[in-house]
Amino acid sequence: MITLTSKDNAQIKQAAKLQKSARCRRQTALFVAEGLRVCADAMKSGAAIETLFLTEAALEKNTEICTELSACAAKTFLVTPELFAHISDTQTPQGVLAVIKALDKSALFDTIKNGGKFLVLDNVQDPNNLGTILRSAEAFGVTGVILSADCCDVYNPKVVRGSMGAVFRLPVCTAEDLPQWLTAHPQLHTYAAVVGDDAQRVTETTFEEPCAIVIGNEGNGIRQATAAACRHRITIPMNGKAESLNASVAAAILIWEMVK
């Protein structure tokens, strides 16, 4: 393994930029996974590890798994704790970070006509929410997730960590024009999740495949054009005084009702 000590090294500069810039992630088709468990999930899921960065402490503490990761990586570098902190996005770095090639999940769009239960996200912005939603979707067996083009970047470091490996295993695609995409799939039974008395209770809804639940922005909900493109309106019945639920909490409830 080669040891790196300078912030000016090209590999270090790229990793630091990938942590911060969605544009860089899109242009290079690369993203960062940080932490022993997340990197191990990437490896076990068959993700292509372009570069692996390790500290000596991490290698000594987790020799077996770090050796496996290194064997799967195209390049492995040892870095000092100070240099690792420069490329890390966490408060207590574990000393394991991988630069990974973006995953091609475009085949998801071709499977919809064959059935399945999907989740559609319209302008979800919070990376913690998105990571948690992907984690729930994968845990409950959702077929795939479709994002509007202005959703939070699925390869945002917080999304990758929060998804607990779901980002590697769950088919996720982006629709450039979400309302148009919804109307272009007439075989898909679409359900807009809204707040209001005019919507059917999700607990009383029968989901016929292929189907998709659409969840909107944290503060504003589903956009009017997106809701208009859906065939049904559903809501989560609430007895308390809260007007709405957190997006990730609502998603977990809706997903459970759809797949049960």
Side-chain angles (χ1 to χ4, degrees), residues 153-191:
D153 178 18
V154 72
Y155 294 127
N156 179 297
K158 289 184 174 63
V159 176
V160 176
R161 286 198 302 275
S163 76
M164 295 300 288
V167 71
F168 306 117
R169 299 184 292 269
L170 183 67
V172 180
C173 290
T174 299
E176 293 301 324
D177 185 329
L178 187 55
Q180 183 181 56
W181 182 87
L182 289 168
T183 55
H185 292 81
Q187 75 277 27
L188 191 63
H189 299 273
T190 48
Y191 300 81

PDB file of all heavy atoms in Angstrom, residues 153-191:
ATOM      1  N   ASP A 153     -29.478  14.585  -3.698  1.00  0.00           N
ATOM      2  CA  ASP A 153     -28.605  13.632  -4.382  1.00  0.00           C
ATOM      3  C   ASP A 153     -28.559  12.309  -3.612  1.00  0.00           C
ATOM      4  O   ASP A 153     -28.229  12.274  -2.433  1.00  0.00           O
ATOM      5  CB  ASP A 153     -27.199  14.236  -4.482  1.00  0.00           C
ATOM      6  CG  ASP A 153     -26.190  13.296  -5.131  1.00  0.00           C
ATOM      7  OD1 ASP A 153     -26.616  12.333  -5.808  1.00  0.00           O
ATOM      8  OD2 ASP A 153     -24.978  13.527  -4.955  1.00  0.00           O
ATOM      9  N   VAL A 154     -28.887  11.232  -4.290  1.00  0.00           N
ATOM     10  CA  VAL A 154     -28.922   9.924  -3.635  1.00  0.00           C
ATOM     11  C   VAL A 154     -27.534   9.497  -3.165  1.00  0.00           C
ATOM     12  O   VAL A 154     -27.405   8.641  -2.285  1.00  0.00           O
ATOM     13  CB  VAL A 154     -29.534   8.865  -4.585  1.00  0.00           C
ATOM     14  CG1 VAL A 154     -28.581   8.528  -5.717  1.00  0.00           C
ATOM     15  CG2 VAL A 154     -29.945   7.619  -3.830  1.00  0.00           C
ATOM     16  N   TYR A 155     -26.475  10.097  -3.732  1.00  0.00           N
ATOM     17  CA  TYR A 155     -25.115   9.764  -3.318  1.00  0.00           C
ATOM     18  C   TYR A 155     -24.516  10.788  -2.366  1.00  0.00           C
ATOM     19  O   TYR A 155     -23.307  10.794  -2.123  1.00  0.00           O
ATOM     20  CB  TYR A 155     -24.223   9.605  -4.550  1.00  0.00           C
ATOM     21  CG  TYR A 155     -24.608   8.419  -5.402  1.00  0.00           C
ATOM     22  CD1 TYR A 155     -24.846   8.559  -6.763  1.00  0.00           C
ATOM     23  CD2 TYR A 155     -24.755   7.154  -4.843  1.00  0.00           C
ATOM     24  CE1 TYR A 155     -25.207   7.463  -7.544  1.00  0.00           C
ATOM     25  CE2 TYR A 155     -25.122   6.063  -5.607  1.00  0.00           C
ATOM     26  CZ  TYR A 155     -25.339   6.222  -6.959  1.00  0.00           C
ATOM     27  OH  TYR A 155     -25.702   5.132  -7.730  1.00  0.00           O
ATOM     28  N   ASN A 156     -25.347  11.662  -1.822  1.00  0.00           N
ATOM     29  CA  ASN A 156     -24.913  12.535  -0.743  1.00  0.00           C
ATOM     30  C   ASN A 156     -24.366  11.657   0.392  1.00  0.00           C
ATOM     31  O   ASN A 156     -24.984  10.641   0.732  1.00  0.00           O
ATOM     32  CB  ASN A 156     -26.108  13.366  -0.259  1.00  0.00           C
ATOM     33  CG  ASN A 156     -25.780  14.291   0.890  1.00  0.00           C
ATOM     34  OD1 ASN A 156     -25.417  13.851   1.976  1.00  0.00           O
ATOM     35  ND2 ASN A 156     -25.948  15.573   0.653  1.00  0.00           N
ATOM     36  N   PRO A 157     -23.229  12.004   0.987  1.00  0.00           N
ATOM     37  CA  PRO A 157     -22.649  11.139   2.041  1.00  0.00           C
ATOM     38  C   PRO A 157     -23.621  10.810   3.171  1.00  0.00           C
ATOM     39  O   PRO A 157     -23.609   9.686   3.686  1.00  0.00           O
ATOM     40  CB  PRO A 157     -21.468  11.965   2.546  1.00  0.00           C
ATOM     41  CG  PRO A 157     -21.066  12.797   1.380  1.00  0.00           C
ATOM     42  CD  PRO A 157     -22.351  13.144   0.675  1.00  0.00           C
ATOM     43  N   LYS A 158     -24.468  11.765   3.550  1.00  0.00           N
ATOM     44  CA  LYS A 158     -25.432  11.507   4.620  1.00  0.00           C
ATOM     45  C   LYS A 158     -26.493  10.503   4.172  1.00  0.00           C
ATOM     46  O   LYS A 158     -26.970   9.694   4.977  1.00  0.00           O
ATOM     47  CB  LYS A 158     -26.085  12.818   5.068  1.00  0.00           C
ATOM     48  CG  LYS A 158     -25.160  13.754   5.835  1.00  0.00           C
ATOM     49  CD  LYS A 158     -25.920  14.975   6.315  1.00  0.00           C
ATOM     50  CE  LYS A 158     -25.044  15.861   7.204  1.00  0.00           C
ATOM     51  NZ  LYS A 158     -23.891  16.412   6.487  1.00  0.00           N
ATOM     52  N   VAL A 159     -26.879  10.565   2.901  1.00  0.00           N
ATOM     53  CA  VAL A 159     -27.844   9.592   2.371  1.00  0.00           C
ATOM     54  C   VAL A 159     -27.223   8.202   2.359  1.00  0.00           C
ATOM     55  O   VAL A 159     -27.849   7.216   2.771  1.00  0.00           O
ATOM     56  CB  VAL A 159     -28.291   9.993   0.953  1.00  0.00           C
ATOM     57  CG1 VAL A 159     -29.216   8.922   0.369  1.00  0.00           C
ATOM     58  CG2 VAL A 159     -28.995  11.341   0.963  1.00  0.00           C
ATOM     59  N   VAL A 160     -25.986   8.095   1.882  1.00  0.00           N
ATOM     60  CA  VAL A 160     -25.302   6.803   1.802  1.00  0.00           C
ATOM     61  C   VAL A 160     -25.209   6.169   3.180  1.00  0.00           C
ATOM     62  O   VAL A 160     -25.519   4.981   3.361  1.00  0.00           O
ATOM     63  CB  VAL A 160     -23.906   6.970   1.170  1.00  0.00           C
ATOM     64  CG1 VAL A 160     -23.153   5.642   1.187  1.00  0.00           C
ATOM     65  CG2 VAL A 160     -24.018   7.480  -0.265  1.00  0.00           C
ATOM     66  N   ARG A 161     -24.798   6.954   4.183  1.00  0.00           N
ATOM     67  CA  ARG A 161     -24.677   6.411   5.545  1.00  0.00           C
ATOM     68  C   ARG A 161     -26.046   6.074   6.125  1.00  0.00           C
ATOM     69  O   ARG A 161     -26.246   5.017   6.718  1.00  0.00           O
ATOM     70  CB  ARG A 161     -23.958   7.400   6.465  1.00  0.00           C
ATOM     71  CG  ARG A 161     -22.468   7.501   6.237  1.00  0.00           C
ATOM     72  CD  ARG A 161     -21.778   8.136   7.439  1.00  0.00           C
ATOM     73  NE  ARG A 161     -22.312   9.461   7.737  1.00  0.00           N
ATOM     74  CZ  ARG A 161     -21.894  10.586   7.152  1.00  0.00           C
ATOM     75  NH1 ARG A 161     -20.972  10.541   6.218  1.00  0.00           N
ATOM     76  NH2 ARG A 161     -22.413  11.739   7.491  1.00  0.00           N
ATOM     77  N   GLY A 162     -27.003   6.997   5.963  1.00  0.00           N
ATOM     78  CA  GLY A 162     -28.322   6.799   6.557  1.00  0.00           C
ATOM     79  C   GLY A 162     -29.095   5.641   5.958  1.00  0.00           C
ATOM     80  O   GLY A 162     -29.961   5.065   6.616  1.00  0.00           O
ATOM     81  N   SER A 163     -28.789   5.295   4.724  1.00  0.00           N
ATOM     82  CA  SER A 163     -29.504   4.195   4.075  1.00  0.00           C
ATOM     83  C   SER A 163     -29.052   2.835   4.583  1.00  0.00           C
ATOM     84  O   SER A 163     -29.695   1.822   4.298  1.00  0.00           O
ATOM     85  CB  SER A 163     -29.310   4.252   2.557  1.00  0.00           C
ATOM     86  OG  SER A 163     -28.025   3.795   2.189  1.00  0.00           O
ATOM     87  N   MET A 164     -27.952   2.798   5.320  1.00  0.00           N
ATOM     88  CA  MET A 164     -27.421   1.547   5.888  1.00  0.00           C
ATOM     89  C   MET A 164     -27.245   0.468   4.822  1.00  0.00           C
ATOM     90  O   MET A 164     -27.638  -0.686   4.996  1.00  0.00           O
ATOM     91  CB  MET A 164     -28.332   1.048   7.014  1.00  0.00           C
ATOM     92  CG  MET A 164     -28.393   1.961   8.215  1.00  0.00           C
ATOM     93  SD  MET A 164     -26.781   2.203   9.003  1.00  0.00           S
ATOM     94  CE  MET A 164     -26.548   0.604   9.766  1.00  0.00           C
ATOM     95  N   GLY A 165     -26.672   0.864   3.699  1.00  0.00           N
ATOM     96  CA  GLY A 165     -26.397  -0.101   2.634  1.00  0.00           C
ATOM     97  C   GLY A 165     -27.492  -0.232   1.602  1.00  0.00           C
ATOM     98  O   GLY A 165     -27.279  -0.831   0.541  1.00  0.00           O
ATOM     99  N   ALA A 166     -28.676   0.338   1.873  1.00  0.00           N
ATOM    100  CA  ALA A 166     -29.792   0.209   0.920  1.00  0.00           C
ATOM    101  C   ALA A 166     -29.460   0.846  -0.420  1.00  0.00           C
ATOM    102  O   ALA A 166     -29.916   0.380  -1.467  1.00  0.00           O
ATOM    103  CB  ALA A 166     -31.054   0.839   1.503  1.00  0.00           C
ATOM    104  N   VAL A 167     -28.664   1.906  -0.421  1.00  0.00           N
ATOM    105  CA  VAL A 167     -28.324   2.585  -1.662  1.00  0.00           C
ATOM    106  C   VAL A 167     -27.573   1.667  -2.621  1.00  0.00           C
ATOM    107  O   VAL A 167     -27.616   1.850  -3.836  1.00  0.00           O
ATOM    108  CB  VAL A 167     -27.495   3.860  -1.365  1.00  0.00           C
ATOM    109  CG1 VAL A 167     -26.097   3.508  -0.902  1.00  0.00           C
ATOM    110  CG2 VAL A 167     -27.444   4.776  -2.573  1.00  0.00           C
ATOM    111  N   PHE A 168     -26.921   0.639  -2.101  1.00  0.00           N
ATOM    112  CA  PHE A 168     -26.199  -0.321  -2.939  1.00  0.00           C
ATOM    113  C   PHE A 168     -27.096  -1.437  -3.455  1.00  0.00           C
ATOM    114  O   PHE A 168     -26.808  -2.039  -4.486  1.00  0.00           O
ATOM    115  CB  PHE A 168     -25.030  -0.946  -2.164  1.00  0.00           C
ATOM    116  CG  PHE A 168     -24.081   0.058  -1.565  1.00  0.00           C
ATOM    117  CD1 PHE A 168     -23.920   0.134  -0.197  1.00  0.00           C
ATOM    118  CD2 PHE A 168     -23.373   0.913  -2.373  1.00  0.00           C
ATOM    119  CE1 PHE A 168     -23.052   1.061   0.358  1.00  0.00           C
ATOM    120  CE2 PHE A 168     -22.504   1.845  -1.839  1.00  0.00           C
ATOM    121  CZ  PHE A 168     -22.335   1.915  -0.456  1.00  0.00           C
ATOM    122  N   ARG A 169     -28.160  -1.724  -2.731  1.00  0.00           N
ATOM    123  CA  ARG A 169     -28.978  -2.892  -3.047  1.00  0.00           C
ATOM    124  C   ARG A 169     -30.319  -2.558  -3.686  1.00  0.00           C
ATOM    125  O   ARG A 169     -30.915  -3.395  -4.370  1.00  0.00           O
ATOM    126  CB  ARG A 169     -29.219  -3.699  -1.759  1.00  0.00           C
ATOM    127  CG  ARG A 169     -27.964  -4.225  -1.110  1.00  0.00           C
ATOM    128  CD  ARG A 169     -28.292  -5.095   0.095  1.00  0.00           C
ATOM    129  NE  ARG A 169     -28.862  -4.336   1.197  1.00  0.00           N
ATOM    130  CZ  ARG A 169     -28.166  -3.785   2.176  1.00  0.00           C
ATOM    131  NH1 ARG A 169     -26.842  -3.885   2.171  1.00  0.00           N
ATOM    132  NH2 ARG A 169     -28.756  -3.122   3.162  1.00  0.00           N
ATOM    133  N   LEU A 170     -30.823  -1.373  -3.449  1.00  0.00           N
ATOM    134  CA  LEU A 170     -32.165  -1.009  -3.894  1.00  0.00           C
ATOM    135  C   LEU A 170     -32.106  -0.266  -5.225  1.00  0.00           C
ATOM    136  O   LEU A 170     -31.379   0.716  -5.357  1.00  0.00           O
ATOM    137  CB  LEU A 170     -32.817  -0.113  -2.836  1.00  0.00           C
ATOM    138  CG  LEU A 170     -34.254   0.336  -3.072  1.00  0.00           C
ATOM    139  CD1 LEU A 170     -35.203  -0.856  -2.999  1.00  0.00           C
ATOM    140  CD2 LEU A 170     -34.648   1.382  -2.024  1.00  0.00           C
ATOM    141  N   PRO A 171     -32.859  -0.713  -6.225  1.00  0.00           N
ATOM    142  CA  PRO A 171     -32.895   0.028  -7.492  1.00  0.00           C
ATOM    143  C   PRO A 171     -33.458   1.433  -7.287  1.00  0.00           C
ATOM    144  O   PRO A 171     -34.566   1.595  -6.771  1.00  0.00           O
ATOM    145  CB  PRO A 171     -33.824  -0.814  -8.374  1.00  0.00           C
ATOM    146  CG  PRO A 171     -33.760  -2.190  -7.789  1.00  0.00           C
ATOM    147  CD  PRO A 171     -33.625  -1.977  -6.303  1.00  0.00           C
ATOM    148  N   VAL A 172     -32.683   2.437  -7.659  1.00  0.00           N
ATOM    149  CA  VAL A 172     -33.093   3.839  -7.523  1.00  0.00           C
ATOM    150  C   VAL A 172     -32.812   4.553  -8.840  1.00  0.00           C
ATOM    151  O   VAL A 172     -31.696   4.497  -9.349  1.00  0.00           O
ATOM    152  CB  VAL A 172     -32.344   4.550  -6.383  1.00  0.00           C
ATOM    153  CG1 VAL A 172     -32.794   6.006  -6.275  1.00  0.00           C
ATOM    154  CG2 VAL A 172     -32.541   3.825  -5.061  1.00  0.00           C
ATOM    155  N   CYS A 173     -33.824   5.218  -9.395  1.00  0.00           N
ATOM    156  CA  CYS A 173     -33.680   5.942 -10.662  1.00  0.00           C
ATOM    157  C   CYS A 173     -34.240   7.350 -10.528  1.00  0.00           C
ATOM    158  O   CYS A 173     -35.017   7.636  -9.622  1.00  0.00           O
ATOM    159  CB  CYS A 173     -34.416   5.216 -11.792  1.00  0.00           C
ATOM    160  SG  CYS A 173     -33.664   3.665 -12.281  1.00  0.00           S
ATOM    161  N   THR A 174     -33.847   8.205 -11.453  1.00  0.00           N
ATOM    162  CA  THR A 174     -34.312   9.590 -11.462  1.00  0.00           C
ATOM    163  C   THR A 174     -35.172   9.845 -12.696  1.00  0.00           C
ATOM    164  O   THR A 174     -34.796   9.462 -13.812  1.00  0.00           O
ATOM    165  CB  THR A 174     -33.125  10.572 -11.459  1.00  0.00           C
ATOM    166  OG1 THR A 174     -32.358  10.374 -10.259  1.00  0.00           O
ATOM    167  CG2 THR A 174     -33.611  12.012 -11.515  1.00  0.00           C
ATOM    168  N   ALA A 175     -36.305  10.490 -12.490  1.00  0.00           N
ATOM    169  CA  ALA A 175     -37.181  10.907 -13.592  1.00  0.00           C
ATOM    170  C   ALA A 175     -36.993  12.406 -13.802  1.00  0.00           C
ATOM    171  O   ALA A 175     -37.253  13.197 -12.885  1.00  0.00           O
ATOM    172  CB  ALA A 175     -38.635  10.590 -13.261  1.00  0.00           C
ATOM    173  N   GLU A 176     -36.549  12.799 -14.965  1.00  0.00           N
ATOM    174  CA  GLU A 176     -36.263  14.210 -15.222  1.00  0.00           C
ATOM    175  C   GLU A 176     -37.529  15.060 -15.145  1.00  0.00           C
ATOM    176  O   GLU A 176     -37.495  16.191 -14.670  1.00  0.00           O
ATOM    177  CB  GLU A 176     -35.594  14.369 -16.593  1.00  0.00           C
ATOM    178  CG  GLU A 176     -34.204  13.751 -16.673  1.00  0.00           C
ATOM    179  CD  GLU A 176     -33.243  14.358 -15.662  1.00  0.00           C
ATOM    180  OE1 GLU A 176     -33.345  15.580 -15.404  1.00  0.00           O
ATOM    181  OE2 GLU A 176     -32.414  13.605 -15.116  1.00  0.00           O
ATOM    182  N   ASP A 177     -38.642  14.543 -15.609  1.00  0.00           N
ATOM    183  CA  ASP A 177     -39.934  15.238 -15.522  1.00  0.00           C
ATOM    184  C   ASP A 177     -40.901  14.262 -14.866  1.00  0.00           C
ATOM    185  O   ASP A 177     -41.492  13.406 -15.529  1.00  0.00           O
ATOM    186  CB  ASP A 177     -40.411  15.644 -16.919  1.00  0.00           C
ATOM    187  CG  ASP A 177     -41.686  16.475 -16.888  1.00  0.00           C
ATOM    188  OD1 ASP A 177     -42.508  16.276 -15.969  1.00  0.00           O
ATOM    189  OD2 ASP A 177     -41.861  17.334 -17.774  1.00  0.00           O
ATOM    190  N   LEU A 178     -41.079  14.396 -13.563  1.00  0.00           N
ATOM    191  CA  LEU A 178     -41.841  13.396 -12.816  1.00  0.00           C
ATOM    192  C   LEU A 178     -43.318  13.311 -13.228  1.00  0.00           C
ATOM    193  O   LEU A 178     -43.814  12.200 -13.461  1.00  0.00           O
ATOM    194  CB  LEU A 178     -41.722  13.658 -11.309  1.00  0.00           C
ATOM    195  CG  LEU A 178     -42.333  12.583 -10.402  1.00  0.00           C
ATOM    196  CD1 LEU A 178     -41.765  11.209 -10.700  1.00  0.00           C
ATOM    197  CD2 LEU A 178     -42.118  12.947  -8.932  1.00  0.00           C
ATOM    198  N   PRO A 179     -44.052  14.410 -13.348  1.00  0.00           N
ATOM    199  CA  PRO A 179     -45.448  14.292 -13.799  1.00  0.00           C
ATOM    200  C   PRO A 179     -45.558  13.601 -15.158  1.00  0.00           C
ATOM    201  O   PRO A 179     -46.445  12.763 -15.366  1.00  0.00           O
ATOM    202  CB  PRO A 179     -45.928  15.747 -13.863  1.00  0.00           C
ATOM    203  CG  PRO A 179     -45.073  16.466 -12.879  1.00  0.00           C
ATOM    204  CD  PRO A 179     -43.723  15.807 -12.987  1.00  0.00           C
ATOM    205  N   GLN A 180     -44.670  13.954 -16.067  1.00  0.00           N
ATOM    206  CA  GLN A 180     -44.696  13.324 -17.390  1.00  0.00           C
ATOM    207  C   GLN A 180     -44.384  11.838 -17.285  1.00  0.00           C
ATOM    208  O   GLN A 180     -44.999  11.013 -17.964  1.00  0.00           O
ATOM    209  CB  GLN A 180     -43.690  14.014 -18.316  1.00  0.00           C
ATOM    210  CG  GLN A 180     -43.690  13.471 -19.747  1.00  0.00           C
ATOM    211  CD  GLN A 180     -42.652  14.177 -20.609  1.00  0.00           C
ATOM    212  OE1 GLN A 180     -41.479  14.207 -20.281  1.00  0.00           O
ATOM    213  NE2 GLN A 180     -43.109  14.740 -21.716  1.00  0.00           N
ATOM    214  N   TRP A 181     -43.427  11.503 -16.422  1.00  0.00           N
ATOM    215  CA  TRP A 181     -43.070  10.097 -16.243  1.00  0.00           C
ATOM    216  C   TRP A 181     -44.256   9.304 -15.696  1.00  0.00           C
ATOM    217  O   TRP A 181     -44.531   8.180 -16.144  1.00  0.00           O
ATOM    218  CB  TRP A 181     -41.878   9.971 -15.300  1.00  0.00           C
ATOM    219  CG  TRP A 181     -41.428   8.554 -15.119  1.00  0.00           C
ATOM    220  CD1 TRP A 181     -40.557   7.850 -15.888  1.00  0.00           C
ATOM    221  CD2 TRP A 181     -41.880   7.647 -14.100  1.00  0.00           C
ATOM    222  NE1 TRP A 181     -40.429   6.562 -15.410  1.00  0.00           N
ATOM    223  CE2 TRP A 181     -41.225   6.413 -14.331  1.00  0.00           C
ATOM    224  CE3 TRP A 181     -42.755   7.757 -13.028  1.00  0.00           C
ATOM    225  CZ2 TRP A 181     -41.425   5.294 -13.512  1.00  0.00           C
ATOM    226  CZ3 TRP A 181     -42.958   6.644 -12.210  1.00  0.00           C
ATOM    227  CH2 TRP A 181     -42.297   5.438 -12.455  1.00  0.00           C
ATOM    228  N   LEU A 182     -44.978   9.882 -14.759  1.00  0.00           N
ATOM    229  CA  LEU A 182     -46.127   9.189 -14.170  1.00  0.00           C
ATOM    230  C   LEU A 182     -47.216   8.941 -15.211  1.00  0.00           C
ATOM    231  O   LEU A 182     -47.793   7.851 -15.272  1.00  0.00           O
ATOM    232  CB  LEU A 182     -46.679  10.012 -13.000  1.00  0.00           C
ATOM    233  CG  LEU A 182     -45.810  10.058 -11.737  1.00  0.00           C
ATOM    234  CD1 LEU A 182     -46.315  11.126 -10.784  1.00  0.00           C
ATOM    235  CD2 LEU A 182     -45.771   8.700 -11.043  1.00  0.00           C
ATOM    236  N   THR A 183     -47.508   9.939 -16.030  1.00  0.00           N
ATOM    237  CA  THR A 183     -48.552   9.772 -17.043  1.00  0.00           C
ATOM    238  C   THR A 183     -48.098   8.878 -18.200  1.00  0.00           C
ATOM    239  O   THR A 183     -48.935   8.328 -18.917  1.00  0.00           O
ATOM    240  CB  THR A 183     -48.983  11.145 -17.597  1.00  0.00           C
ATOM    241  OG1 THR A 183     -47.829  11.840 -18.096  1.00  0.00           O
ATOM    242  CG2 THR A 183     -49.626  11.980 -16.507  1.00  0.00           C
ATOM    243  N   ALA A 184     -46.787   8.731 -18.353  1.00  0.00           N
ATOM    244  CA  ALA A 184     -46.261   7.878 -19.421  1.00  0.00           C
ATOM    245  C   ALA A 184     -46.327   6.399 -19.064  1.00  0.00           C
ATOM    246  O   ALA A 184     -46.013   5.543 -19.899  1.00  0.00           O
ATOM    247  CB  ALA A 184     -44.821   8.273 -19.757  1.00  0.00           C
ATOM    248  N   HIS A 185     -46.733   6.085 -17.823  1.00  0.00           N
ATOM    249  CA  HIS A 185     -46.865   4.684 -17.390  1.00  0.00           C
ATOM    250  C   HIS A 185     -48.312   4.438 -16.965  1.00  0.00           C
ATOM    251  O   HIS A 185     -48.607   4.311 -15.763  1.00  0.00           O
ATOM    252  CB  HIS A 185     -45.894   4.381 -16.246  1.00  0.00           C
ATOM    253  CG  HIS A 185     -44.452   4.399 -16.654  1.00  0.00           C
ATOM    254  ND1 HIS A 185     -43.735   5.567 -16.788  1.00  0.00           N
ATOM    255  CD2 HIS A 185     -43.605   3.387 -16.977  1.00  0.00           C
ATOM    256  CE1 HIS A 185     -42.501   5.278 -17.158  1.00  0.00           C
ATOM    257  NE2 HIS A 185     -42.394   3.972 -17.290  1.00  0.00           N
ATOM    258  N   PRO A 186     -49.243   4.370 -17.921  1.00  0.00           N
ATOM    259  CA  PRO A 186     -50.663   4.236 -17.587  1.00  0.00           C
ATOM    260  C   PRO A 186     -50.995   2.930 -16.872  1.00  0.00           C
ATOM    261  O   PRO A 186     -52.034   2.835 -16.207  1.00  0.00           O
ATOM    262  CB  PRO A 186     -51.353   4.308 -18.954  1.00  0.00           C
ATOM    263  CG  PRO A 186     -50.302   3.887 -19.936  1.00  0.00           C
ATOM    264  CD  PRO A 186     -49.004   4.395 -19.381  1.00  0.00           C
ATOM    265  N   GLN A 187     -50.126   1.924 -17.013  1.00  0.00           N
ATOM    266  CA  GLN A 187     -50.388   0.661 -16.334  1.00  0.00           C
ATOM    267  C   GLN A 187     -50.090   0.728 -14.835  1.00  0.00           C
ATOM    268  O   GLN A 187     -50.472  -0.154 -14.071  1.00  0.00           O
ATOM    269  CB  GLN A 187     -49.558  -0.466 -16.977  1.00  0.00           C
ATOM    270  CG  GLN A 187     -48.076  -0.458 -16.634  1.00  0.00           C
ATOM    271  CD  GLN A 187     -47.270   0.499 -17.501  1.00  0.00           C
ATOM    272  OE1 GLN A 187     -47.778   1.491 -17.998  1.00  0.00           O
ATOM    273  NE2 GLN A 187     -45.992   0.191 -17.686  1.00  0.00           N
ATOM    274  N   LEU A 188     -49.424   1.804 -14.414  1.00  0.00           N
ATOM    275  CA  LEU A 188     -49.021   1.944 -13.023  1.00  0.00           C
ATOM    276  C   LEU A 188     -50.142   2.596 -12.210  1.00  0.00           C
ATOM    277  O   LEU A 188     -50.619   3.683 -12.551  1.00  0.00           O
ATOM    278  CB  LEU A 188     -47.752   2.808 -12.959  1.00  0.00           C
ATOM    279  CG  LEU A 188     -47.004   2.887 -11.630  1.00  0.00           C
ATOM    280  CD1 LEU A 188     -46.471   1.520 -11.226  1.00  0.00           C
ATOM    281  CD2 LEU A 188     -45.853   3.892 -11.740  1.00  0.00           C
ATOM    282  N   HIS A 189     -50.578   1.923 -11.160  1.00  0.00           N
ATOM    283  CA  HIS A 189     -51.583   2.480 -10.257  1.00  0.00           C
ATOM    284  C   HIS A 189     -50.867   3.412  -9.284  1.00  0.00           C
ATOM    285  O   HIS A 189     -50.117   2.967  -8.423  1.00  0.00           O
ATOM    286  CB  HIS A 189     -52.299   1.365  -9.496  1.00  0.00           C
ATOM    287  CG  HIS A 189     -53.034   0.412 -10.389  1.00  0.00           C
ATOM    288  ND1 HIS A 189     -54.331   0.617 -10.807  1.00  0.00           N
ATOM    289  CD2 HIS A 189     -52.626  -0.746 -10.972  1.00  0.00           C
ATOM    290  CE1 HIS A 189     -54.710  -0.374 -11.593  1.00  0.00           C
ATOM    291  NE2 HIS A 189     -53.693  -1.224 -11.710  1.00  0.00           N
ATOM    292  N   THR A 190     -51.094   4.717  -9.433  1.00  0.00           N
ATOM    293  CA  THR A 190     -50.344   5.713  -8.668  1.00  0.00           C
ATOM    294  C   THR A 190     -51.200   6.313  -7.568  1.00  0.00           C
ATOM    295  O   THR A 190     -52.362   6.666  -7.771  1.00  0.00           O
ATOM    296  CB  THR A 190     -49.834   6.818  -9.603  1.00  0.00           C
ATOM    297  OG1 THR A 190     -50.907   7.258 -10.454  1.00  0.00           O
ATOM    298  CG2 THR A 190     -48.698   6.299 -10.471  1.00  0.00           C
ATOM    299  N   TYR A 191     -50.589   6.486  -6.389  1.00  0.00           N
ATOM    300  CA  TYR A 191     -51.285   6.964  -5.200  1.00  0.00           C
ATOM    301  C   TYR A 191     -50.509   8.149  -4.628  1.00  0.00           C
ATOM    302  O   TYR A 191     -49.384   7.993  -4.150  1.00  0.00           O
ATOM    303  CB  TYR A 191     -51.384   5.860  -4.151  1.00  0.00           C
ATOM    304  CG  TYR A 191     -52.123   4.629  -4.616  1.00  0.00           C
ATOM    305  CD1 TYR A 191     -51.478   3.660  -5.396  1.00  0.00           C
ATOM    306  CD2 TYR A 191     -53.457   4.429  -4.284  1.00  0.00           C
ATOM    307  CE1 TYR A 191     -52.156   2.527  -5.829  1.00  0.00           C
ATOM    308  CE2 TYR A 191     -54.147   3.290  -4.715  1.00  0.00           C
ATOM    309  CZ  TYR A 191     -53.480   2.351  -5.490  1.00  0.00           C
ATOM    310  OH  TYR A 191     -54.141   1.221  -5.923  1.00  0.00           O
TER     311      TYR A 191
END
